[in-house]
């Protein structure tokens, strides 16, 4: 990028320090049960031999991340003992002393260094302007703001509590390496990521097909299809060796101890319900809402037996399963088939006409959204797997910028129920407003010569989020519905946001299938 010299990168340091200071201000805010989850994992990995890590069940929050993350917790535990040794005692459930809170909060902030480094690498991958313009209009600057100051990451990691920034650092670094045509490095980083958190299996098909098609096959036919004679067995061996080595280091000790089935049972707990405790705004939220509406209507019309209607929670909690009342109940196999069907056209398109690294990035986002839309027990936070990579496309193309605005606004608002404590309400609303306004204003300015980012109908839909939030946060608590319809705010938020996520999913799909030449490029201004 000609517009960004070595000297001009000082703005990136300023943005990084600024967001880090904001994170420090959030140290004393509310934290969710995920705080206790990670404290318990610190205790498990510090106090027990490796052979007992995936068997320990004193707490209900058992270790259910891949082995590399367990080793990550083990490393943190040796620093944690200098803050408060009591947090490393397995029996000390819900231990949250000031020193423990400080350590765990700081561990998230400091490990975000991985994310900060990755954002800079991503900024190097975007197209700069040929004509010198002010810094605020540079795609790299806008991208840095969209990633470093992402609303979802801020509230999930630094209020709710998790290590998503650290993990997304690996995801986006692997993307950046592929955008730079450093295929083996990208494969290595992604393999490490899968062994840190297996939720990123959602996007593994995009990686597998792209690396096979664009790295192992060195040439394409004139029409863009695969040239079979260009297959390189040497490259396949190199790629396979790197990936298999990472998995061998991660799972090897547990295979040697005969514990692989136990580890896998923790990683894939299919006895959990179809939806997470907070409904993710996906297809199943719409499905559950329709079932709920039909069951209420059926009871009012006396078409259903009240005693026979299912009383179980749709969320499933830890182990509970749910049988729908009217519509057919959904099994894990059904969700797997739906997910596979939803991503297959995108993966086939990537194979037939790869469209370069940018085509891979689009396929990755579609795979993330397809898995989010139709997966089993999807966490609402998983929407970030699509939102963050989409940021790279948003600064490159007007159409993608419009999709980004819709997806981020609805996806981020769907996270609101996670932060329900009164002191944090102004914080989440203010941060959401600032991020949304900046995203819309900066991207609209970037593509101002190409027209509006949103159609009037899209703008009306997004505006509808305002009265929805006012009802859920202000009006609903003042009504008697709190006793009779306790699920109503969550249902309304999930269903309304699911419409926007679904729309974004199909619009992205359409752009991939109807633009065989690759993504529409923004004209230099």
């Amino acid at each position: 990028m000609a517009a960004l010299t070595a000297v001009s990168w000082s703005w990136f340091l300023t943005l990084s320090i600024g967001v880090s200071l904001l994170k420090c201000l959030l140290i004393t805010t509310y934290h969710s049960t995920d705080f206790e989850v990670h404290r318990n994992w610190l205790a498990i990995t510090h106090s027990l031999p490796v052979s007992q890590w995936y068997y320990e069940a004193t707490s209900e929050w058992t270790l259910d991340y891949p082995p590399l993350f367990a080793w990550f917790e083990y490393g943190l535990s040796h620093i944690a003992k200098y803050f408060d040794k009591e947090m490393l005692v397995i029996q000390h459930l819900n231990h949250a002393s000031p020193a423990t809170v400080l350590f765990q909060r700081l561990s998230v902030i400091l490990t975000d260094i991985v994310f900060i480094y990755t954002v800079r690498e991503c900024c190097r991958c975007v197209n700069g302007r040929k004509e010198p313009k002010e810094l605020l209009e540079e795609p790299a600057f806008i991208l840095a703001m969209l990633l470093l100051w992402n609303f979802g990451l801020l509230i999930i990691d630094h209020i709710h509590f998790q290590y998503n920034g650290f993990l997304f650092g690996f995801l986006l670094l692997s993307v950046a390496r592929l955008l730079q045509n450093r295929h083996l490095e990208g494969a290595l980083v992604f393999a490490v990521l899968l062994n840190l958190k297996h939720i990123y299996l959602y996007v593994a098909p995009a990686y597998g097909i792209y690396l096979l098609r664009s790295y192992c096959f060195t040439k394409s036919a004139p029409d863009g299809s695969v040239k079979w004679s260009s297959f390189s067995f040497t490259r396949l061996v190199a790629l396979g060796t790197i990936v298999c080595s990472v998995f061998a280091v991660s799972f090897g000790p547990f295979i040697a101890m005969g514990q692989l089935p136990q580890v896998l049972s923790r990683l894939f707990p299919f006895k959990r319900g179809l939806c997470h405790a907070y409904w993710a705004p996906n297809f199943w939220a719409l499905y559950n809402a329709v079932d709920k509406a039909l069951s209420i209507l059926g009871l009012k019309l006396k078409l259903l037996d009240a005693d026979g209607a299912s009383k179980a929670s749709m969320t499933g909690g830890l182990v509970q399963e749910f049988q729908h009342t009217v519509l057919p109940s959904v099994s894990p196999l059904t969700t797997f088939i739906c997910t596979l069907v939803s991503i297959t056209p995108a993966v086939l398109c990537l194979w037939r006409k790869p469209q370069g690294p940018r085509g891979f990035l689009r396929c990755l986002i579609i795979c993330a959204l397809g898995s989010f839309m139709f997966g089993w027990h999807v966490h609402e936070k998983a929407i970030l797997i699509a939102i963050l990579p989409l940021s790279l496309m948003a600064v490159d193309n007007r159409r993608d910028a419009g999709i980004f605005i819709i997806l981020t606004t609805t996806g981020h608002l769907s996270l609101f129920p996670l932060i329900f404590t009164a002191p944090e309400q102004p914080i989440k609303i203010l941060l959401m407003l600032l991020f949304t306004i900046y995203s819309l204003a900066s991207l609209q300015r970037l593509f101002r010569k190409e027209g509006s980012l949103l159609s009037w109908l899209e703008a009306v839909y997004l505006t509808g989020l305002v009265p929805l939030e006012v009802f859920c946060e202000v009006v609903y608590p003042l009504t008697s519905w709190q006793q009779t319809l306790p699920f109503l705010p969550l249902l309304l938020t999930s269903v309304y946001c699911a419409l926007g996520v679904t729309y974004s999913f199909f619009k992205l799909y359409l752009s991939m299938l109807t633009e065989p030449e690759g993504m529409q490029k923004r004209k230099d201004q």
Side-chain angles (χ1 to χ4, degrees):
M1 295 177 295
L4 294 175
T5 65
V7 176
S8 71
W9 277 99
S10 59
W11 59 263
F12 185 83
L13 180 61
T14 303
L15 291 181
S16 302
I17 293 175
V19 75
S20 298
L21 291 176
L22 173 62
K23 294 170 184 177
C24 291
L25 294 176
L26 299 176
I27 285 178
T28 59
T29 57
Y30 151 83
H31 54 78
S32 71
T33 54
D34 280 327
F35 182 89
E36 169 60 15
V37 169
H38 288 281
R39 185 217 60 82
N40 186 53
W41 292 357
L42 288 171
I44 289 174
T45 55
H46 186 82
S47 305
L48 297 176
V50 177
S51 60
Q52 297 181 32
W53 285 1
Y54 286 94
Y55 285 93
E56 164 58 35
T58 300
S59 168
E60 61 183 337
W61 312 118
T62 53
L63 180 59
D64 59 5
Y65 274 26
L68 285 191
F69 197 89
W71 286 110
F72 168 72
E73 294 277 9
Y74 174 79
L76 289 179
S77 72
H78 286 277
I79 304 174
K81 64 185 179 183
Y82 295 106
F83 284 76
D84 183 358
K85 292 182 179 180
E86 298 302 311
M87 79 171 85
L88 302 176
V89 179
I90 294 176
Q91 289 72 27
H92 289 180
L93 303 182
N94 299 310
H95 183 80
S97 66
T100 300
V101 172
L102 178 63
F103 168 74
Q104 293 201 215
R105 290 294 197 189
L106 287 178
S107 69
V108 178
I109 295 172
L110 293 177
T111 54
D112 273 357
I113 292 174
V114 175
F115 185 70
I116 292 172
Y117 167 76
T118 293
V119 172
R120 184 175 181 185
E121 289 298 298
C122 289
C123 289
R124 293 181 182 276
C125 297
V126 302
N127 298 316
R129 296 173 179 270
K130 291 182 179 179
E131 299 176 10
K133 295 285 184 178
E134 61 177 282
L135 177 63
L136 296 181
E137 291 188 37
E138 277 295 336
F141 180 87
I142 297 173
L143 177 61
M145 286 292 295
L146 297 181
L147 291 175
L148 291 176
W149 292 78
N150 179 271
F151 166 76
L153 270 185
L154 285 174
I155 68 164
I156 294 302
D157 279 10
H158 303 283
I159 298 181
H160 184 80
F161 191 86
Q162 278 191 345
Y163 290 91
N164 289 293
F166 169 71
L167 296 168
F168 276 114
F170 283 90
L171 175 66
L172 294 181
L173 182 59
S174 69
V175 170
R177 291 298 180 249
L178 293 184
L179 291 175
Q180 297 162 355
N181 290 316
R182 296 158 68 174
H183 298 91
L184 293 181
E185 291 180 44
L188 172 63
V189 174
F190 184 66
V192 171
L193 175 63
L194 287 180
N195 285 275
L196 284 169
K197 190 169 183 180
H198 53 301
I199 193 175
Y200 296 98
L201 283 170
Y202 286 170
V203 297
Y207 277 89
I209 294 298
Y210 178 71
L211 288 169
L212 181 63
R213 177 67 174 82
S214 298
Y215 180 71
C216 296
F217 288 91
T218 58
K219 295 180 181 180
S220 295
D223 63 352
S225 61
V226 62
K227 189 173 183 179
W228 296 98
S229 61
S230 69
F231 176 73
S232 172
F233 182 73
T234 302
R235 289 192 172 196
L236 178 63
V237 171
L239 186 63
T241 300
I242 288 175
V243 174
C244 291
S245 296
V246 173
F247 276 84
V249 169
S250 177
F251 284 90
F254 299 95
I255 295 174
M257 291 184 291
Q259 295 184 3
L260 184 60
Q262 174 63 20
V263 175
L264 294 179
S265 70
R266 286 284 183 87
L267 299 185
F268 303 100
F270 287 114
K271 288 186 178 180
R272 293 181 179 179
L274 173 64
C275 296
H276 191 240
Y278 297 99
W279 290 8
N282 60 12
F283 175 79
W284 303 122
L286 299 175
Y287 190 85
N288 288 343
V290 171
D291 183 78
K292 176 69 73 173
L294 290 176
S295 65
I296 293 175
L297 182 63
L299 289 173
K300 286 187 177 294
L301 298 177
K302 297 183 179 180
L303 299 175
L304 293 176
D305 181 9
D307 295 330
S310 175
K311 301 295 184 182
S313 168
M314 292 180 185
T315 63
L318 287 173
V319 297
Q320 189 180 28
E321 297 181 71
F322 174 77
Q323 299 297 316
H324 288 85
T325 304
V326 179
L327 298 178
S329 292
V330 180
S331 67
L333 178 60
T334 301
T335 62
F336 175 77
I337 294 174
C338 290
T339 301
L340 190 62
V341 170
S342 73
I343 68 174
T344 296
V347 172
L348 289 178
C349 184
L350 184 64
W351 171 261
R352 294 180 61 188
K353 295 185 179 181
Q355 304 174 29
R358 302 282 171 174
F360 153 75
L361 181 57
R362 188 178 297 274
C363 183
L364 180 151
I365 296 167
I366 290 175
C367 286
L369 279 177
S371 301
F372 181 84
M373 288 288 295
F374 300 103
W376 177 265
H377 198 75
V378 173
H379 288 233
E380 61 293 318
K381 300 179 284 288
I383 192 64
L384 296 178
I385 301 177
I387 287 176
L388 292 174
L390 184 56
S391 304
L392 279 77
M393 292 168 53
V395 298
D396 188 63
N397 179 280
R398 183 189 67 84
R399 185 177 184 179
D400 294 328
I403 297 174
F404 174 83
I405 294 299
I406 298 170
L407 184 63
T408 54
T409 306
T410 54
H412 285 162
L413 191 82
S414 72
L415 301 176
F416 267 34
L418 292 174
I419 311 297
F420 53 84
T421 49
E424 282 69 38
Q425 296 302 309
I427 298 175
K428 74 177 185 182
I429 293 173
L430 179 61
L431 289 177
M432 171 79 175
L433 284 174
L434 289 175
F435 182 83
T436 304
I437 292 172
Y438 173 79
S439 300
L440 182 59
S442 61
L443 292 174
Q444 183 62 69
R445 187 178 185 184
L446 183 64
F447 300 107
R448 61 184 178 275
K449 292 185 179 180
E450 300 180 33
S452 176
L453 298 181
L454 303 172
S455 68
W456 70 269
L457 190 59
E458 293 167 343
V460 168
Y461 166 76
L462 292 181
T463 304
L465 293 170
V466 176
L468 171 67
E469 182 60 18
V470 170
F471 172 80
C472 292
E473 300 290 349
V474 180
V475 177
Y476 173 79
L478 303 177
T479 68
S480 60
W481 290 338
Q482 281 188 300
Q483 286 72 41
T484 57
L485 298 172
F487 61 87
L488 188 59
L490 178 58
L491 183 146
L492 292 177
T493 300
S494 295
V495 169
Y496 195 87
C497 291
L499 296 174
V501 174
T502 303
Y503 175 79
S504 301
F505 175 63
F506 283 111
K507 197 168 183 180
L508 269 171
Y509 233 127
L510 184 64
S511 68
M512 183 173 194
L513 298 178
T514 59
E515 294 182 14
E517 299 297 326
M519 294 189 302
Q520 177 188 354
K521 298 297 182 181
R522 177 182 54 82
K523 296 180 180 179
D524 293 314
Q525 301 178 20

